[in-house]
Amino acid sequence: MHINRTTLPNGLRLVHSEDTTTQMVCVNLLYQVGSRNEHPERTGFAHLFEHLMFGGTRRVPNFDIVLQDACGDNNAFTSEDITNYYITLPAQHLETALMLESDRMAGLAFTPHSLDVQRKVVMEEFKLTCLNQPYGDLSHLLFRLAYKDEPYEWPTIGKRLSHIAQATMPQVKDFFRRYYRPENAILCLVGNVSWERAQELVNQYWGTQFRAFGAKAAAQPASPVMLRDELSSYRWQRAKGLRRRTYRRQVPSDLVVMAFRIPSRGDDRFQPCDMLSDVLANGRSSRLYRSLVQEQHLCDSIDAYVSGRIGDGLLIIEAMPLDGISPSVVEQAIWTHLDALRTTLVPDEELQKVKNKYETNTHLLLSDYMQRAEQLAYFEMFGDAHLLLADLPRYLSITSQELRHMARQVLPRRNACVIHYLADPQDDES
């Protein structure tokens, strides 16, 4: 896979990878803004903006109709660190996608009607996923415990429903001016388009033409955005002492959640942490599944995964005890396996099995031009899209000794947050 990179005079970073095996192209535009950039008393704005960006501009009132006429498809997602928009369409219609993305970066219509509609949509999503669904508040509870008084303290949906309900037009416009700017964005094109053609079109729509109808947006003063130089300031900060909470809710079953602070996704210690989670609970042959589900019959289900972020991420273990099994018993059984990882080496055969999964999944991921565009933009955020090419070799280089070393760093009790989420009709917090 050949990767091209350049930075336009306005600060927009362009990443490109030609793929002649498809007649399609993916236009992936990553903005370096997520829930971590929000004011603690005005949360949910990054996610609200994911919706507002489809509200149309004066030049193009209906984004979707223009894109559908070009046989294109699009979507977006928001995380703690980024808001990512992508369009897939036949390569001959690439110019349409670039025009649309350039147009809405230059300035949305910001009509009261659009704000009212999208605000209601996001509020309904908050109610559906956080208030009216079993375990819907788990992310709020866990992040508040793991990231007290830090920018990751709330999930992307926001802290409270009232923050979105009370969002005003001046606040929304200020958020747009601060973060939806060329110097805070990474544009990645992957598909059947040459590097020369990609540069020509991107310069057309983010060069002279962008300045022509986006002069007002481009003239805004510099803002505190997440730029490459800031990445180097992050240092992994482990929690100081075990944090424990018990919550009671009207849910079907108890849940045990254990979370451990881990280094940034851009740190070369992230991959061993990710591998530790898979050794623990990736598939039916993993340690925790075999022991707690199949052999001891303590749990109905168990899973482990990592959340990679620009700052500290989390290694999370979620276990659902069988009826009649105490969450404390399940927690202690998990600690037994965590202690074993900190004291003994993972056998070569077990380690190789996990590596084989990484290799297979990576090749499947990168064979998809849309996923490749998303990943290239993401790694460019950490300084260079070529880092994507080093990711799999880093996983494959991990040794049993390195896993044990990281387990000692990451998995002790002093670095843990533990939640017992109990099925209790009293619905109290303790």
Side-chain angles (χ1 to χ4, degrees):
M1 174 173 55
H2 186 70
I3 301 169
N4 301 296
R5 303 166 58 236
T6 191
T7 301
L8 274 64
N10 60 23
L12 177 71
R13 280 179 275 168
L14 172 62
V15 181
H16 165 269
S17 180
E18 186 174 4
D19 185 348
T20 58
T21 67
T22 177
Q23 294 303 309
M24 303 289 287
V25 66
C26 178
V27 175
N28 192 98
L29 188 56
L30 181 154
Y31 289 94
Q32 296 175 137
V33 55
S35 57
R36 64 169 296 280
N37 299 97
E38 298 164 347
H39 189 282
E41 297 305 318
R42 291 196 298 273
T43 64
F45 271 58
H47 180 232
L48 174 62
F49 245 93
E50 175 196 324
H51 291 260
L52 283 173
M53 285 290 278
F54 294 95
T57 66
R58 292 184 179 86
R59 188 183 188 193
V60 183
N62 195 309
F63 186 96
D64 287 329
I65 287 179
V66 175
L67 189 58
Q68 288 168 9
D69 287 343
C71 303
D73 192 17
N74 74 100
N75 214 326
F77 64 86
T78 312
S79 75
E80 292 83 6
D81 295 315
I82 67 172
T83 307
N84 194 81
Y85 301 86
Y86 57 91
I87 296 173
T88 58
L89 75 176
Q92 64 265 33
H93 297 310
L94 171 60
E95 190 169 353
T96 298
L98 296 178
M99 180 274 292
L100 290 170
E101 290 292 13
S102 172
D103 186 43
R104 62 180 177 177
M105 182 188 289
L108 296 178
F110 286 116
T111 65
H113 173 72
S114 176
L115 176 57
D116 186 53
V117 169
Q118 299 306 331
R119 187 166 44 201
K120 289 178 180 177
V121 169
V122 173
M123 289 171 64
E124 287 304 312
E125 186 176 341
F126 191 107
K127 293 175 185 177
L128 177 65
T129 60
C130 301
L131 303 181
N132 301 327
Q133 181 171 285
Y135 316 102
D137 63 346
L138 181 59
S139 292
H140 287 85
L141 301 176
L142 179 60
F143 293 173
R144 190 171 67 198
L145 184 62
Y147 295 109
K148 183 177 176 58
D149 299 324
E150 297 181 67
Y152 292 133
E153 188 179 354
W154 56 89
T156 55
I157 195 72
K159 267 188 184 181
R160 289 184 283 274
L161 189 62
S162 60
H163 287 181
I164 295 301
Q166 297 168 6
T168 66
M169 184 66 77
Q171 291 170 348
V172 166
K173 287 184 176 180
D174 178 68
F175 194 87
F176 180 81
R177 286 192 293 264
R178 283 177 177 270
Y179 299 111
Y180 279 76
R181 304 161 57 87
E183 70 270 28
N184 197 43
I186 299 167
L187 177 64
C188 184
L189 307 182
V190 174
N192 202 332
V193 57
S194 69
W195 176 227
E196 292 73 23
R197 180 61 172 162
Q199 291 181 93
E200 175 189 346
L201 289 176
V202 170
N203 277 302
Q204 177 182 340
Y205 285 99
W206 272 270
T208 304
Q209 185 168 334
F210 183 80
R211 289 193 294 271
F213 64 78
K216 184 176 180 181
Q220 294 299 324
S223 56
V225 295
M226 170 58 68
L227 298 174
R228 280 170 292 183
D229 292 344
E230 190 178 344
L231 295 173
S232 62
S233 68
Y234 280 91
R235 293 294 182 268
W236 176 38
Q237 300 295 326
R238 286 172 289 169
K240 296 178 175 64
L242 186 148
R243 302 178 185 182
R244 180 184 296 277
R245 296 289 186 276
T246 299
Y247 301 95
R248 294 176 172 85
R249 299 288 190 268
Q250 297 184 40
V251 293
S253 302
D254 294 342
L255 191 66
V256 176
V257 181
M258 304 170 70
F260 303 83
R261 294 279 286 258
I262 63 173
S264 162
R265 182 63 178 89
D267 192 301
D268 66 2
R269 294 171 296 181
F270 172 84
Q271 291 88 345
C273 294
D274 192 10
M275 190 168 286
L276 283 173
S277 74
D278 286 337
V279 168
L280 285 167
N282 185 338
R284 292 176 175 269
S285 64
S286 61
R287 294 187 174 195
L288 291 179
Y289 191 91
R290 286 201 324 269
S291 177
L292 276 68
V293 176
Q294 295 178 330
E295 297 170 4
Q296 300 185 63
H297 304 291
L298 297 178
C299 294
D300 179 65
S301 63
I302 192 163
D303 191 19
Y305 56 93
V306 292
S307 173
R309 297 174 179 174
I310 286 177
D312 285 3
L314 293 175
L315 188 158
I316 301 171
I317 301 170
E318 296 181 0
M320 186 168 288
L322 287 170
D323 290 344
I325 303 298
S326 166
S328 296
V329 171
V330 170
E331 181 189 337
Q332 185 53 52
I334 294 172
W335 279 119
T336 299
H337 286 276
L338 300 183
D339 292 340
L341 279 175
R342 293 191 297 114
T343 56
T344 61
L345 295 176
V346 174
D348 290 341
E349 183 179 355
E350 185 178 7
L351 181 60
Q352 189 59 50
K353 181 185 68 175
V354 175
K355 289 183 178 182
N356 291 343
K357 287 185 178 180
Y358 282 113
E359 190 163 19
T360 299
N361 292 339
T362 298
H363 288 311
L364 287 174
L365 177 75
L366 297 183
S367 67
D368 183 291
Y369 70 99
M370 186 174 73
Q371 294 288 339
R372 196 156 69 246
E374 178 186 318
Q375 291 295 309
L376 286 170
Y378 184 74
F379 278 90
E380 177 66 24
M381 179 176 63
F382 287 95
D384 189 342
H386 288 91
L387 292 170
L388 174 61
L389 302 180
D391 200 44
L392 177 58
R394 176 68 185 103
Y395 276 102
L396 299 182
S397 72
I398 295 171
T399 65
S400 295
Q401 289 78 8
E402 188 175 5
L403 278 184
R404 184 176 63 182
H405 175 74
M406 284 310 303
R408 290 172 175 172
Q409 295 290 309
V410 169
L411 298 179
R413 286 157 179 77
R414 67 176 180 272
N415 191 39
C417 295
V418 179
I419 289 178
H420 288 187
Y421 197 109
L422 306 182
D424 190 326
Q426 296 299 315
D427 200 14
D428 286 329
E429 178 179 326
S430 64

